[in-house]
Amino acid sequence: MNNQDHCFDESFERMVAENHVQLRSFVRMLGVDPDWVDDLAQEAFLVALRERNSFDQEQDVGKWLRGIARNLVRNEVRKDARRRRILHEGLADLLLQDSDSNDDHPEWQRIRLTHLRDCVEGLPPKSREIVTGRYSHGWTATDLADHLEMTAAAVRQALMRIRQQLKDCIENRLGDTA
């Protein structure tokens, strides 16, 4: 290690030590799950280390780190949105795979999805909130339990009942249209 690398390492260590607490607080303030705050803060420091040559020494290093962290959280939100879309499709697949019909024609699937939407709209408000929280927002049973003042086990039981209600509702509607 040459003298320049040694000086850089010390300055980077100092930057981490001086900004770690504030960066963690900022990441937490963005709504990141407490279990992931340290990982995201560490990833922000790794990006800062990789991109150190693009940083203008005249600028506020805390602001630069917060910008990196903000972009990392945005990326996580985008990834989560993609994942939620897949979970929602997974619900539709689960509800529809037991359907009596073997018709995989796209129009028939569109009709089933329309029925699914209508059936979800017809649920009681609390059931609709549970389904929306789970499949649109990607909340876990624990998240929903905290939000709805229920136990996680009660949320899981409710989800099982709601999925069965949705399946029955879709089958009834398909029977009416056949």
Side-chain angles (χ1 to χ4, degrees), residues 6 8-9 15 39 41 47 56 74 88 121 126 128 135 138 141-142 148 151 154 158 165 177-178:
H6 182 70
F8 174 76
D9 287 346
M15 180 189 72
D39 288 345
V47 170
D56 179 358
R74 277 189 188 122
H88 186 70
E121 288 300 314
K126 190 167 187 174
R128 197 171 44 241
Y135 295 105
T142 304
L148 300 171
T151 65
Q165 284 177 319
T177 56

Side-chain angles (χ1 to χ4, degrees), residues 99-100 108 111 115 118-119 167-178:
S99 172
D100 293 333
W108 188 241
I111 290 170
H115 289 323
D118 293 344
C119 291
K167 180 181 174 215
D168 293 345
C169 177
I170 291 168
E171 288 175 353
N172 285 337
R173 287 174 181 255
L174 288 172
D176 291 344
T177 56

Side-chain angles (χ1 to χ4, degrees), residues 96-164:
L96 297 173
Q97 75 186 30
D98 291 332
S99 172
D100 293 333
S101 174
N102 290 324
D103 187 354
D104 290 328
H105 190 274
E107 180 63 21
W108 188 241
Q109 292 206 6
R110 188 193 60 75
I111 290 170
R112 288 186 227 171
L113 288 173
T114 299
H115 289 323
L116 173 61
R117 271 188 229 107
D118 293 344
C119 291
V120 169
E121 288 300 314
L123 289 171
K126 190 167 187 174
S127 295
R128 197 171 44 241
E129 190 173 5
I130 290 171
V131 167
T132 302
R134 178 69 185 106
Y135 295 105
S136 293
H137 302 301
W139 292 356
T140 64
T142 304
D143 296 335
L144 286 165
D146 290 343
H147 180 70
L148 300 171
E149 298 181 358
M150 301 169 66
T151 65
V155 168
R156 284 189 283 275
Q157 281 283 349
L159 276 169
M160 283 178 36
R161 278 195 313 274
I162 294 167
R163 283 191 291 260
Q164 186 62 49

Side-chain angles (χ1 to χ4, degrees), residues 7 13 24 33 49 73 77 96 105 169 171 174-175:
C7 288
E13 284 178 27
R24 286 186 75 252
D33 185 311
L49 180 62
V73 171
V77 169
L96 297 173
H105 190 274
C169 177
E171 288 175 353
L174 288 172

Side-chain angles (χ1 to χ4, degrees), residues 46-82:
L46 289 173
V47 170
L49 180 62
R50 239 186 353 255
E51 302 294 325
R52 63 184 178 263
N53 293 333
S54 68
F55 177 65
D56 179 358
Q57 299 294 326
E58 302 291 320
Q59 300 298 314
D60 178 357
V61 70
K63 185 177 180 179
W64 182 56
L65 290 169
R66 288 189 299 275
I68 292 170
R70 189 177 299 112
N71 288 333
L72 290 171
V73 171
R74 277 189 188 122
N75 288 340
E76 289 299 318
V77 169
R78 285 187 201 118
K79 285 182 203 172
D80 192 47
R82 283 192 296 263

Side-chain angles (χ1 to χ4, degrees), residues 78-92:
R78 285 187 201 118
K79 285 182 203 172
D80 192 47
R82 283 192 296 263
R83 184 180 61 81
R84 276 187 270 142
R85 194 171 47 228
I86 290 168
L87 284 174
H88 186 70
E89 290 171 6
L91 173 64

